[in-house]
Amino acid sequence: MANPIDQREKPVLKELLEASKAAERLISALFEIGALDGEPFMSIWCQLDRAIERTQRSLGEKPALITSDLNPRPAA
């Protein structure tokens, strides 16, 4: 069982979560325009996605739907 998040850590985790979301969107946009292709970018993107979802659950936040979520993810 995971340790509960200390209230002093929440602002730092939220800031890190927002930065991770921005990085994930940037990677997605770069894939869409063909600036990135294949590995290791796909693995990094998947790691960010999993980390974001786990962090949101730990913080008790619902995942926000963003425009790029409506587009299919690039194939590996």
Side-chain angles (χ1 to χ4, degrees), residues 19-54:
S20 298
K21 288 178 184 179
E24 184 186 35
R25 287 190 297 269
L26 176 61
I27 292 170
S28 175
L30 291 171
F31 265 111
E32 287 180 26
I33 65 169
L36 296 177
D37 188 23
E39 292 297 333
F41 304 107
M42 195 66 198
S43 293
I44 293 167
W45 190 39
C46 291
Q47 286 176 327
L48 275 171
D49 187 52
R50 286 189 305 269
I52 288 168
E53 288 180 15
R54 283 194 310 265

Side-chain angles (χ1 to χ4, degrees), residues 3-11 13:
N3 294 332
I5 295 174
D6 186 316
Q7 292 301 316
R8 295 172 295 182
E9 294 173 340
K10 276 192 175 184
L13 288 174

